[in-house]
Amino acid sequence: MIPWLTQEPDEDNIVSDIKQINIPDIGDFDEVQVIEVLVKAGDTVNAEDAIISLESDKATIEVPTPEAGVVEAVLVNEGDMVSKGTPMLKLKTSAIDNKTEQAQTAEPAKTEAKTEKTVKQAEPEHQETPKAAPKPPPVPVEIPQQRKGKLAHASPAVRKFARELGVEISTVTGTGRKGRITREDVKQHVKTAMQSGGQTVVTSNFDVPPFPAVDFTEFGEVETQPLSRIQKISGKYLHRNWVRIPHVTQYDEADITELEAFRNANKAEAKEQGFNLTPLAFMVKAMAKALKKFPKFNTSLDVDGENLIFKKYYHIGIAVDTPNGLVVPVIRDCDKKEVFEIAKEMRDVSIKAREGKLAPSDMQGGSISISSLGGIGGTAFTPIINAPEVAILGVSKSNIKPVWNGKEFEPKLMLPLSLSYDHRVIDGADAARFIVYLSSILSDMKKMLL
Ligand code: CAO
């Protein structure tokens, strides 16, 4: 039993005991660091509420109070090293509980006894009334380190609080010691999410039925093939981005008749140098110009969704289709590179991608991405934003179309563009202006090359 050192009578016949609660046996640990103090003087606690969190190399341990009461003083601080027997808390335990117990077991006259007597009755040696076996003190709880990768350090009370608010604890940024998640962090997380339109809250409980487990062999012959490693990894991120970013896709067509003439005139030279000069290299160049003109498309939201980070570099990701799945290597400083240089680099990164030789750093730091299906076909599609970027351009196959010039229809080579953008950051009017400007650059070789 945890000892109490002092008992002080309180006013108005209400008896209070000031008890000192020490750290109980915490298992195989000697000196363990206090990483979070969960209560403060004046707080009311219930028996078994967690008071502090300890963290050893192996585990996080919650130490509860064995009794209810009002915290008189917390005797440990974050960062202290503690062990069994270290004073943890001074707790004012109201005598109401004792009185109630007495009222249930004693005659009325005895319940009117003076304060002093009541205090004495509270002392163990004066407990004459046989009682039921005392409830054992609550034991410290070891928090299972259940998450692979990022561990969410939070007490059960904080976890419960987060659950009640529908917050996935692993998405909360902890500001406590060693990144521990406090109750305040959960509140801040919800506040931020509400201000940023739910950016950081995972609605983990979508009220939708699960996919049915179907035995397809009932309907005919089948063959099962595992997803590739890239598909498994990128699938999760695509899903997250699709679900958590409010996508809108803006469509347009660029007249690339002039660009195509220029490209055809320079294709042979590029071939001689060992690369293919495709419309995509021009698109990358035009994109760098459009980002300069519309800096909001070259941003990312910070992790709390409170600030927009404007990038002063122009690194453009190119979606590359490989036998193992989709990857997005980044071509850096596209504003400083000539179209030929970009085309050459695109050849190099796509070879590297298809050979599975891209390093993670080759795929990081993008401003925006371009996904081109123009070499294959199609008229439009909805590309999924490659977060933390805020927009992505989809490119489909160019086609000759009749375009009215005010007097007559002219045959023009029209390139379909599909711009998906994060509507939390970019308004529809911004997106329309951006795509119109991008089209104007693609339509005018002077603008493109200057
Ligand atoms: N319209 C018409 N023709 C186009 C075109 C377009 N928009 N884009 C490319 N082409 C032509 C090229 O000019 C080339 O023909 P020529 O050799 O006669 O010039 C041919 O199509 C093949 O081009 P390509 O696809 O090899 O080269 P690219 O530079 O356009 O693209 C790359 C390179 C790596 C992006 C591409 O090969 C690729 O992997 N695309 C798929 C990206 C993808 O999967 N996106 C989907 C993401 S969402 O799931």
Side-chain angles (χ1 to χ4, degrees):
M1 190 76 189
I2 293 162
W4 6 310
L5 300 182
T6 53
Q7 299 169 336
E8 296 163 8
D10 208 345
E11 65 276 328
D12 293 330
N13 285 350
I14 296 175
V15 179
S16 293
D17 298 329
I18 306 285
K19 296 185 178 177
Q20 177 173 300
I21 294 170
N22 298 341
I23 293 187
D25 189 346
I26 47 175
D28 283 343
F29 304 105
D30 278 345
E31 289 263 277
V32 190
Q33 191 167 41
V34 178
I35 54 162
E36 192 177 359
V37 176
L38 304 164
V39 296
K40 57 184 182 320
D43 283 356
T44 301
V45 292
N46 295 316
E48 303 195 15
D49 277 356
I51 301 300
I52 56 172
S53 296
L54 309 177
E55 191 164 78
S56 74
D57 290 340
K58 296 185 204 144
T60 303
I61 304 157
E62 298 289 343
V63 183
T65 167
E67 296 204 36
V70 176
V71 176
E72 184 77 2
V74 182
L75 306 176
V76 289
N77 295 307
E78 285 183 12
D80 288 357
M81 302 300 288
V82 297
S83 46
K84 181 183 174 187
T86 305
M88 173 170 78
L89 192 70
K90 282 202 170 181
L91 191 68
K92 187 189 275 185
T93 57
S94 155
I96 291 167
D97 279 350
N98 294 339
K99 280 185 168 182
T100 311
E101 266 180 60
Q102 287 158 15
Q104 285 165 351
T105 54
E107 291 164 23
K110 283 190 184 166
T111 62
E112 287 166 20
K114 294 278 180 238
T115 303
E116 207 179 293
K117 180 135 189 248
T118 312
V119 172
K120 283 198 167 174
Q121 281 177 337
E123 291 174 9
E125 62 269 30
H126 292 277
Q127 287 176 354
E128 284 154 17
T129 319
K131 285 191 172 178
K135 204 175 156 204
V139 286
V141 184
E142 192 172 314
I143 311 300
Q145 306 210 346
Q146 78 277 43
R147 287 189 182 277
K148 292 183 197 139
K150 186 189 165 195
L151 171 70
H153 290 296
S155 67
V158 172
R159 284 170 191 277
K160 182 165 173 277
F161 181 57
R163 269 198 309 277
E164 282 168 4
L165 296 177
V167 172
E168 168 60 52
I169 195 81
S170 64
T171 63
V172 180
T173 305
T175 60
R177 209 176 174 81
K178 289 191 182 175
R180 192 158 184 80
I181 299 163
T182 64
R183 203 180 163 87
E184 273 314 304
D185 292 332
V186 177
K187 279 192 205 162
Q188 184 55 44
H189 180 88
V190 172
K191 202 171 130 203
T192 304
M194 290 181 79
Q195 284 165 352
S196 63
Q199 196 253 344
T200 49
V201 170
V202 173
T203 48
S204 52
N205 297 319
F206 283 118
D207 192 14
V208 290
F211 290 114
V214 177
D215 178 5
F216 298 100
T217 58
E218 281 181 17
F219 310 107
E221 196 188 341
V222 297
E223 180 194 332
T224 303
Q225 288 186 1
L227 291 179
S228 71
R229 197 179 66 85
I230 290 179
Q231 281 176 312
K232 283 190 205 156
I233 295 169
S234 63
K236 281 187 202 158
Y237 291 117
L238 287 166
H239 185 200
R240 177 198 64 189
N241 297 348
W242 183 246
V243 169
R244 294 184 64 188
I245 300 174
H247 282 68
V248 180
T249 307
Q250 174 74 31
Y251 302 98
D252 200 2
E253 284 182 319
D255 176 353
I256 58 162
T257 315
E258 207 181 301
L259 185 154
E260 188 63 3
F262 181 90
R263 189 176 79 87
N264 283 329
N266 289 280
K267 250 170 101 171
E269 193 187 327
K271 268 265 164 1
E272 275 171 28
Q273 294 183 37
F275 61 91
N276 198 3
L277 187 63
T278 67
L280 188 54
F282 296 87
M283 235 112 51
V284 170
K285 188 73 199 160
M287 178 61 88
K289 287 181 183 288
L291 291 181
K292 280 204 167 164
K293 173 100 174 159
F294 296 89
K296 220 188 232 184
F297 286 76
N298 191 7
T299 61
S300 288
L301 280 167
D302 70 5
V303 78
D304 298 323
E306 297 231 326
N307 300 293
L308 206 50
I309 297 154
F310 284 77
K311 300 162 195 170
K312 307 289 175 178
Y313 49 81
Y314 301 87
H315 304 340
I316 294 172
I318 304 294
V320 178
D321 181 33
T322 78
N324 290 324
L326 182 72
V327 288
V328 189
V330 173
I331 303 197
R332 290 173 204 275
D333 299 315
C334 297
D335 57 322
K336 297 180 188 136
K337 290 178 179 157
E338 303 294 338
V339 173
F340 264 53
E341 241 179 309
I342 293 170
K344 221 183 288 176
E345 205 170 320
M346 267 171 27
R347 174 205 57 192
D348 295 344
V349 289
S350 45
I351 291 172
K352 224 172 153 186
R354 287 178 179 135
E355 290 176 351
K357 291 184 178 159
L358 288 175
S361 58
D362 292 329
M363 294 177 275
Q364 290 165 357
S367 301
I368 195 168
S369 297
I370 302 180
S371 174
S372 174
L373 295 174
I376 303 168
T379 54
F381 63 103
T382 309
I384 299 179
I385 296 163
N386 187 18
E389 295 162 18
V390 294
I392 181 168
L393 180 73
V395 182
S396 300
K397 189 174 174 57
S398 60
N399 267 307
I400 303 272
K401 287 189 174 179
V403 176
W404 185 251
N405 67 10
K407 286 191 200 134
E408 56 185 354
F409 283 104
E410 274 188 281
K412 295 281 186 190
L413 185 63
M414 303 303 288
L415 179 72
L417 304 173
S418 311
L419 177 75
S420 291
Y421 58 91
D422 183 338
H423 209 347
R424 294 169 304 174
V425 175
I426 293 162
D427 294 334
D430 291 338
R433 283 186 202 105
F434 181 88
I435 205 165
V436 165
Y437 181 75
L438 184 68
S439 299
S440 77
I441 296 177
L442 289 168
S443 302
D444 185 341
M445 281 312 292
K446 281 194 277 329
K447 272 196 202 164
M448 165 87 70
L449 298 174
L450 280 178

